[in-house]
């Protein structure tokens, strides 16, 4: 049984309804009763009273585990206890001890949302408002090197699930007063704090406004790893339009290029947009090594990316439709290896590709101690057994293995996944029409990539730019002293998505 709902936005039967607004009252006992009703059967919600000699009383409500009681006593309770009891409580008194205090909150539901997010909320007798304080210290893991983006040279730290820590790491990587961070609360049943980061006067205003509007228009129960699907521009495409990374250095360099970053509380992956195809084929090591080595590696990486898409299709088309293109000795060797194979070439490729994808998926889902061993041993055993049994030929095993290895060369996992998915339509085109089918499929792919954009930036940018400066960091990288101009995003008119909530059509029918 899946651990996630089929639709992360809403439930299938009961559409979400915004709770009615209930205002706080000056009676502290009545306010406490309303908060206790909301958090009924919640044993981790703590109610802490502070009594003064006079009529003033305070109530602190927080979640156990998010707040250190010793820190609360030392920074707030003891200093407030030393105040004279005949003075009425004001927010200025609280601000003298806590800097991160919110504006007055008058709605009970908003107060409950602040408590659920881990904040400490303070109520006072005689005041129909509450104040939220961000001094919580929830448990979090230590900073370590990202396992998916390992570099030979460069920083060894990666983002974690704590939003405040991630913002601090980004500030350290990019110490610039123009770095702006805007916070949002997204989610209807479980609000999640989201921060967009950009460099003022560098990031295009149109992109920043579009990102801001799309985040505000998200209609979902909760938003965490689902964030990307709600704000991307084209849903029906294999290519990712939003880059994700765990490295602060990649985020800082992207912000300097005029891009926008989205940090999500509880998610170590930071989203970067707009994204282009070439940015998905570039790694952090490309800017830490010398330009000659980087340029050579980029060419190799591009060739391997094309191999991961086209190699099985070329093998099918040449052996089935155009054998005259092969040298005689190579053709005889392939025919000899295929002697006695009962299946056509296309079925050989589909069987081997399916088994290779199965082994890859099994290696990802199994525990790390046995995942790599099962994938490697399984590939060797199945490949050798299939050849000895006469089900597939040895050249086919070589082709599928070379294709699988080439797909791992993409620095971004989602870009490699797009190449793996494109492999199967190309197989069908090659099986039906040979090389003409591959050419036809390639034309359709180029047309699709030409029409694709990410927040108004063409997906093939900067290849479609007219400025020669932008081409100095594409398939090859020029020396750093030659790249003295900041790449300018080719902003076009974006599809009219602002103001259109991203919801499920089934939810609208239920509403």
């Amino acid at each position: 049984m899946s651990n996630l709902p089929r639709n992360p936005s809403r439930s299938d039967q009961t559409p979400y309804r915004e709770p009615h607004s209930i205002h706080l009252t000056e009676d502290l006992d009545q306010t406490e009763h309303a908060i206790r009703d909301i958090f009924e059967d919640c044993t981790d919600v703590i109610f802490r009273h502070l009594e003064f000699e006079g009529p003033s009383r305070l109530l602190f409500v927080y979640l156990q585990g998010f707040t250190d009681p010793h820190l609360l006593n030392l920074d707030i309770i003891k200093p407030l206890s030393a105040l004279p009891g005949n003075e009425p409580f004001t927010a200025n008194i609280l601000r003298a001890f806590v800097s991160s205090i919110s504006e007055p909150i008058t709605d009970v539901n908003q107060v409950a949302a602040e408590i659920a997010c881990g904040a400490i909320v303070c109520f006072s007798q005689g005041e129909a408002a509450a104040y939220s304080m961000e001094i919580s210290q929830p448990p979090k893991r230590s900073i370590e090197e990202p396992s998916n983006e390992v570099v030979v040279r460069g920083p060894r730290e990666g983002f974690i699930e704590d939003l405040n820590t991630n913002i601090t790491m980004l500030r350290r990587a990019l110490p610039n007063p123009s770095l702006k961070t805007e916070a949002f609360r997204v989610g209807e049943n479980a609000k999640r704090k989201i921060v967009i980061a950009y460099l003022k006067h560098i990031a295009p205003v149109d992109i920043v406004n579009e990102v801001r509007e799309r985040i505000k228009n998200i209609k979902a129960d909760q938003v965490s790893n689902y964030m990307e699907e709600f704000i991307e521009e084209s849903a029906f495409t294999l290519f990712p339009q939003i880059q994700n990374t765990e490295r602060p250095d990649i985020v800082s360099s992207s912000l300097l290029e005029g891009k926008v970053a989205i940090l999500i509380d509880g998610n170590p992956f930071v989203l970067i947009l707009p994204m282009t195809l070439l940015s998905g084929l570039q790694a952090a090591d490309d800017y830490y090594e010398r330009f000659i080595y980087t340029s050579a590696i980029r060419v190799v990486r591009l060739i391997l990316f094309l191999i991961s898409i086209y190699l099985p299709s070329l093998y099918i088309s040449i052996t089935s439709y155009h054998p005259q293109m092969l040298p005689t000795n190579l053709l005889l060797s392939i025919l000899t290896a295929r002697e006695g194979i009962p299946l056509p070439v296309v079925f050989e490729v589909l069987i081997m590709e399916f088994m290779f994808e199965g082994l890859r998926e099994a290696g990802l889902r199994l525990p790390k101690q046995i995942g790599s061993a099962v994938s490697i041993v399984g590939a060797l055993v199945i490949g050798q057994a299939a050849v000895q049994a006469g089900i597939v030929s040895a050249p086919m095993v070589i082709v599928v293995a070379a294709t699988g290895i080439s797909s791992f060369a993409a620095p971004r996992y989602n870009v490699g996944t797009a190449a793996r998915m494109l492999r199967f339509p190309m197989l069908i085109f090659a099986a039906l029409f040979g090389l003409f089918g591959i050419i036809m499929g390639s034309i359709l792919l180029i047309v699709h990539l030409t029409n694709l954009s990410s927040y108004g930036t063409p997906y093939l940018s900067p290849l479609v730019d007219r400025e020669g400066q932008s081409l100095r960091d594409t398939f090859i990288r020029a020396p750093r002293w030659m790249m003295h101009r900041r790449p300018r995003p080719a902003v076009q008119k974006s599809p009219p998505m602002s103001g259109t909530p991203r919801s499920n059509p089934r939810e609208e029918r239920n509403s």
Side-chain angles (χ1 to χ4, degrees):
M1 183 180 295
S2 175
N3 294 327
L4 297 176
R6 288 173 293 171
N7 178 16
S9 302
R10 317 260 188 171
S11 60
D12 291 341
Q13 301 297 332
T14 306
Y16 176 78
R17 302 293 185 186
E18 189 71 25
H20 297 290
S21 178
I22 303 175
H23 292 283
L24 296 173
T25 63
E26 296 182 357
D27 187 358
L28 185 59
D29 295 330
Q30 186 176 354
T31 299
E32 181 181 357
H33 181 70
I35 299 299
R36 286 186 180 274
D37 286 342
I38 295 177
F39 291 99
E40 186 179 5
D41 298 329
C42 297
T43 58
D44 58 337
V45 179
I46 307 300
F47 292 80
R48 183 79 177 270
H49 291 270
L50 182 60
E51 303 284 348
F52 292 96
E53 295 180 357
S56 298
R57 287 191 300 156
L58 295 180
L59 172 64
F60 296 92
V61 184
Y62 57 91
L63 286 177
Q64 186 179 15
F66 278 80
T67 301
D68 185 2
H70 177 72
L71 187 64
L72 176 62
N73 290 331
L74 186 63
D75 293 345
I76 299 179
I77 301 297
K78 287 186 177 180
L80 290 177
S81 301
L83 296 176
N86 53 2
E87 292 185 5
F89 174 81
T90 61
N92 293 329
I93 297 177
L94 195 59
R95 287 191 177 94
F97 307 105
V98 182
S99 59
S100 57
I101 183 173
S102 68
E103 295 296 324
I105 305 174
T106 59
D107 184 62
V108 174
N109 296 316
Q110 187 177 353
V111 168
E114 292 291 331
I115 297 173
C117 291
I120 301 177
V121 179
C122 177
F123 306 89
S124 64
Q125 176 67 32
E127 186 173 3
Y131 300 92
S132 173
M133 297 171 287
E134 293 287 346
I135 61 171
S136 59
Q137 292 184 345
K140 57 185 178 182
R141 66 182 176 95
S142 59
I143 298 174
E144 53 190 17
E145 184 178 4
S147 59
N148 296 329
E149 298 176 277
V150 180
V151 295
V152 179
R153 297 173 59 184
R156 303 292 181 180
E157 60 182 14
F159 291 118
I160 61 174
E161 287 76 12
D162 184 65
L163 180 61
N164 294 327
T165 303
N166 294 342
I167 295 177
T168 303
M169 295 172 63
L170 181 59
R171 288 282 185 184
R172 187 174 65 178
L174 188 59
N176 192 325
S178 297
L179 177 59
K180 307 302 178 182
T181 56
E182 299 181 17
F184 303 88
R185 291 282 188 182
V186 180
E188 296 177 340
N189 275 339
K191 291 193 177 293
R192 179 82 62 172
K193 189 175 182 181
I194 295 176
V195 172
I196 64 172
Y198 60 93
L199 283 175
K200 194 175 181 180
H201 307 307
I202 295 181
V205 179
D206 295 340
I207 294 180
V208 176
N209 292 335
E210 186 69 21
V211 174
R212 192 183 292 119
E213 288 299 322
R214 293 190 188 184
I215 292 177
K216 291 180 180 179
N217 291 329
I218 292 177
K219 301 298 181 182
D221 282 345
Q222 65 173 352
V223 175
S224 180
N225 296 326
Y226 319 124
M227 179 77 180
E228 187 173 346
E229 293 190 52
F230 283 103
I231 62 174
E232 64 183 1
E233 203 156 291
S234 300
F236 300 99
T237 180
L238 296 177
F239 293 91
Q241 302 148 71
I242 300 177
Q243 181 180 342
N244 59 79
T245 181
E246 294 182 83
R247 299 187 60 86
D249 55 338
I250 294 181
V251 177
S252 62
S253 61
S254 299
L255 295 181
L256 288 171
E257 294 178 0
K259 297 183 179 181
V260 180
I262 302 177
L263 298 89
I264 308 172
D265 190 20
N267 193 348
F269 289 92
V270 174
L271 305 181
I272 303 174
L273 49 92
M275 178 184 178
T276 61
L277 179 61
L278 291 180
S279 64
L281 296 175
Q282 296 173 355
D285 269 330
D286 295 351
Y287 300 94
Y288 294 131
E289 299 288 347
R290 299 184 67 250
F291 75 96
I292 298 177
Y293 172 77
T294 297
S295 300
I297 290 298
R298 282 189 178 181
V299 173
V300 172
R301 194 181 296 149
L302 177 63
I303 294 175
L304 292 176
F305 179 74
L306 296 176
I307 287 176
S308 65
I309 299 176
Y310 289 105
L311 183 58
S313 306
L314 289 173
Y315 180 80
I316 292 175
S317 61
I318 291 177
T319 55
S320 301
Y321 291 91
H322 315 283
Q324 65 275 9
M325 297 181 62
L326 294 176
T328 304
N329 294 335
L330 179 58
L331 179 60
L332 292 176
S333 176
I334 293 177
L335 293 177
T336 302
R338 281 193 47 79
E339 186 177 357
I341 302 299
L343 299 175
V345 181
V346 60
F347 288 105
E348 278 189 81
V349 176
L350 290 176
I351 290 174
M352 292 303 297
E353 287 289 348
F354 182 79
M355 294 305 301
F356 191 89
E357 293 297 328
L359 289 171
R360 186 205 302 262
E361 189 68 16
L364 288 175
R365 305 308 167 194
L366 288 173
K368 293 183 179 180
Q369 291 79 4
I370 62 176
S372 58
V374 168
S375 59
I376 296 173
V377 175
L380 293 175
V381 172
I382 291 178
Q384 183 66 23
V387 172
Q388 290 182 354
I391 299 177
V392 297
S393 60
M396 179 57 64
V397 176
I398 297 175
V399 169
V400 173
T403 305
I405 294 173
S406 300
S407 64
F408 290 120
R412 306 293 168 196
Y413 177 78
N414 46 13
V415 176
T417 303
R420 289 161 49 194
M421 298 293 292
L422 281 173
R423 191 182 308 157
F424 293 96
M426 290 297 176
L427 286 175
I428 297 175
F429 278 111
L432 294 177
F433 307 106
L435 283 178
F436 298 102
I438 296 178
I439 295 173
M440 198 164 31
S442 300
I443 292 175
L444 293 176
L445 177 60
I446 294 174
V447 171
H448 173 69
L449 291 176
T450 304
N451 293 326
L452 195 62
S453 64
S454 176
Y455 284 79
T457 301
Y459 202 63
L460 294 180
S461 178
L463 299 179
V464 295
D465 295 347
R466 297 181 180 179
E467 298 183 2
Q469 290 282 345
S470 301
L471 299 176
R472 296 182 180 180
D473 189 19
T474 52
F475 300 121
I476 61 174
R477 183 177 74 80
R480 297 303 296 262
W481 48 267
M482 291 184 63
M483 296 189 297
H484 52 81
R485 294 180 59 183
R486 181 177 291 109
R488 184 176 60 185
V491 180
Q492 299 175 348
K493 186 177 180 180
S494 181
M497 294 177 55
S498 297
T500 304
R502 285 300 190 91
S503 58
N504 195 299
R506 181 171 54 187
E507 303 161 12
E508 299 177 0
R509 293 197 298 268
N510 292 335
S511 301

